Amino acid sequence: MKEADGTKEAGDLIQIKSDNTLDNGSINGSMKKEKDLKIGVIGAGLMGLTLAYRISKSNATVKVIERDSQPGGLSTYFNYGKFIWDKFYHVIVPTDGSLIGLIEEIGLGSKLNFTRALTGYYVNKSFYSLNGPKDYLLFPLLNIWDKMRLAYTIFYGSRIKNWKKLEQVHLKDWLVKMGGQKNFNKFWAPLLLAKLGENYKRVSGVFIWTYIKRLFKAREYPVEKDYMGYVTGGYKTVFDKLEQLLNENNSSLLLDTVVTSIEPAEGGGINVHYGESVEYFDKVVFTAPLNVLEKVTDPRLCEVVRHERAIEYMGVVCLVLTTHKALTPYYILNISDTQSPFTGVIGISTLVDQEQTSGLQLTYFPKYIPADHAFWSKSDSELKAIFLEGVKDLYPDFDESDIVSAHINRAFKVQPLQVLNYSEIIPKTHTKHPDFYVLNTSQFVNDSVNNNSVVTHVNSFIDEYKHEFQAVNKK
Ligand SMILES: Cc1cc2nc3c(=O)[nH]c(=O)nc-3n(C[C@H](O)[C@H](O)[C@H](O)COP(=O)(O)OP(=O)(O)OC[C@H]3O[C@@H](n4cnc5c(N)ncnc54)[C@H](O)[C@@H]3O)c2cc1C
């Protein structure tokens, strides 16, 4: 365990008090300015770090506790050998106002880059470009009437404000009603299978509406709508900066530290257990997924739904290749082929400057899968072999000797399944204990899981609860 904040090494059971003194009387951080409240944040994904940064600007000291050896969670970075880039593919779209706002606020605005991103569709062993009206008109799988109905579905979806009604309708039923069965079978079903597998049948209309909304709302960045963006250096740049700002605000990030239990302290406040330590906080915000919440939280703080309507997540398994030659001209190629082991090809190098990746091509091959999928029990080398076969099927000219590196990256809890009436089963932000809060992606009732929604969620939390964290300033 790291001694990131002056606490003792794991081994002795130490009670750390809110006034920053240890039980042996030594002063922790005595050179630093005293702050009033001591806040714990569990999880150093974008949610936890953005929240911690915002709270640390008030008169509170924040400590973020993270299980992994580096911050970032699902948006973290990975060492590909010759360069470091995101572990999973991440782009910023011009409508991501909250995320772009954060990036500019922390001084990284000049590192934002936007480039035109191309979309492709692979079906019946053929590649189709889907960029702009001309491509849609030429797309051979749908006739002109179907295309008009498809355009109407997207237009109508982008105008919907009352998402609560959509929450009561199965996604499939809504799409068939709007655009017809043929559009559903030929266009939507392959995309939904790619993202949700067979689970798409259980999901409500809100799921697709959130995607339409994200792409069609007013742009917050002055580029064309088919442009997509990234930060120079990838998300590592963002996390390094957030950590630096936290430290400057007399707060800290504790890595390599698994929180094992969270319980109410006597007389108010919260005790957090990790390693052999138990640390007291005046308030704690939990940002990790629900399975962890269920495991570590005392029922006196909050009760995670344990019945049949418990929230399920989709995970992802992803082959990441670095190669000398480009594999795809598209930023995203959606694959409508049930035989393929992956459901999309993400050509990050079509977007990201070659300098960022040591002149190599970086391509991701993801497959979203439920918790009981057979892929979870396979080793990385087994998965690599299966996925590489798929790459060769897709690109018969692909030569394996061109591969510089091949990695399998996995994430178990990525996409909560927005089933019917999902908003009724999410955990509340303010729990039954006044000093314990839950803030995570399972609470996105009318947003898709992306980093813009993460920052929006944090901003709303700060707006609503700032008085409880004493004069927390958002700006
Ligand atoms: C394949 C893929 C592609 C994506 N593409 C995009 C994209 O293009 N654009 C976009 O905006 N978003 C994208 N996303 C979504 C984005 O990654 C998420 O929105 C975001 O990372 C969620 O952040 P979070 O902090 O809420 O959760 P997480 O990142 O899950 O953070 C939770 C943190 O809690 C920690 N933790 C868990 N248990 C414990 C414990 N017991 N003790 C201490 N710490 C613990 C975890 O290690 C983790 O760091 C993508 C995600 C994936 C997987």
Side-chain angles (χ1 to χ4, degrees), residues 21-32:
T21 58
L22 304 182
D23 62 356
N24 63 7
S26 66
I27 306 292
N28 177 26
S30 58
M31 298 304 288
K32 292 183 176 175

Side-chain angles (χ1 to χ4, degrees), residues 29-270:
S30 58
M31 298 304 288
K32 292 183 176 175
K33 180 174 143 262
E34 284 295 333
K35 287 191 165 196
D36 294 336
L37 272 187
K38 186 176 172 192
I39 310 296
V41 172
I42 314 302
L46 190 67
M47 188 88 77
L49 279 183
T50 306
L51 177 75
Y53 157 66
R54 294 229 185 284
I55 297 176
S56 74
K57 291 164 83 180
S58 72
N59 55 345
T61 301
V62 189
K63 183 188 271 188
V64 186
I65 307 177
E66 167 57 44
R67 176 186 64 183
D68 287 344
S69 56
Q70 60 189 45
L74 294 174
S75 306
T76 198
Y77 42 91
F78 190 83
N79 189 341
Y80 291 100
K82 297 199 167 163
F83 62 92
I84 290 177
W85 197 257
D86 301 351
K87 184 173 181 185
F88 299 103
Y89 47 95
H90 279 81
V91 287
I92 300 164
V93 297
T95 57
D96 283 349
S98 302
L99 178 60
I100 292 169
L102 173 75
I103 290 168
E104 288 176 338
E105 179 190 330
I106 63 176
L108 297 178
S110 63
K111 292 189 185 290
L112 263 173
N113 311 276
F114 275 85
T115 315
R116 184 158 191 239
L118 297 179
T119 300
Y121 199 89
Y122 178 78
V123 61
N124 299 340
K125 307 271 176 216
S126 300
F127 294 86
Y128 299 96
S129 192
L130 283 183
N131 299 285
K134 196 172 154 220
D135 285 345
Y136 280 93
L137 284 173
L138 293 174
F139 189 55
L141 257 58
L142 303 172
N143 61 34
I144 190 70
W145 169 240
D146 294 326
K147 284 171 189 166
M148 282 165 64
R149 289 193 76 182
L150 184 61
Y152 174 72
T153 307
I154 293 170
F155 174 76
Y156 185 87
S158 70
R159 315 288 283 198
I160 291 177
K161 297 268 179 291
N162 185 0
W163 56 272
K164 278 268 186 187
K165 273 192 180 166
L166 272 182
E167 201 187 45
Q168 293 153 26
V169 188
H170 274 119
L171 169 63
K172 179 181 173 187
D173 294 343
W174 184 72
L175 287 173
V176 171
K177 186 173 146 213
M178 296 303 299
Q181 190 70 46
K182 191 165 162 211
N183 263 332
F184 182 80
N185 294 348
K186 300 259 176 196
F187 188 81
W188 292 113
L191 296 178
L192 294 171
L193 275 166
K195 190 79 180 172
L196 297 169
E198 290 295 324
N199 273 320
Y200 82 79
K201 292 173 185 154
R202 299 167 53 210
V203 164
S204 85
V206 169
F207 179 83
I208 204 73
W209 171 73
T210 60
Y211 280 88
I212 295 174
K213 183 178 69 139
R214 184 176 181 218
L215 291 177
F216 286 87
K217 72 182 178 188
R219 270 162 271 161
E220 304 275 348
Y221 206 78
V223 288
E224 298 296 313
K225 72 173 175 345
D226 54 358
Y227 275 47
M228 292 194 180
Y230 67 94
V231 174
T232 305
Y235 263 93
K236 185 173 189 305
T237 305
V238 176
F239 291 117
D240 285 351
K241 186 71 183 200
L242 284 170
E243 187 178 355
Q244 179 205 324
L245 292 171
L246 264 188
N247 290 332
E248 285 170 13
N249 288 344
N250 198 17
S251 294
S252 58
L253 167 60
L254 189 61
L255 297 170
D256 282 319
T257 303
V258 181
V259 168
T260 48
S261 115
I262 309 173
E263 59 182 19
E266 239 174 76
I270 304 289

Side-chain angles (χ1 to χ4, degrees), residues 125 336-342 390 393:
K125 307 271 176 216
S336 170
D337 174 358
T338 47
Q339 299 306 308
S340 172
F342 43 84
D393 279 350

Side-chain angles (χ1 to χ4, degrees), residues 42 59 72 102 127 161 230 239 244 281-282 288 304 306 328 359 381 392 395 405 429 473:
I42 314 302
N59 55 345
L102 173 75
F127 294 86
K161 297 268 179 291
Y230 67 94
F239 291 117
Q244 179 205 324
F281 293 96
D282 296 305
V304 186
R306 289 176 170 88
T328 172
S381 52
K392 282 187 258 171
Y395 304 115
S405 74
T429 299
N473 311 308

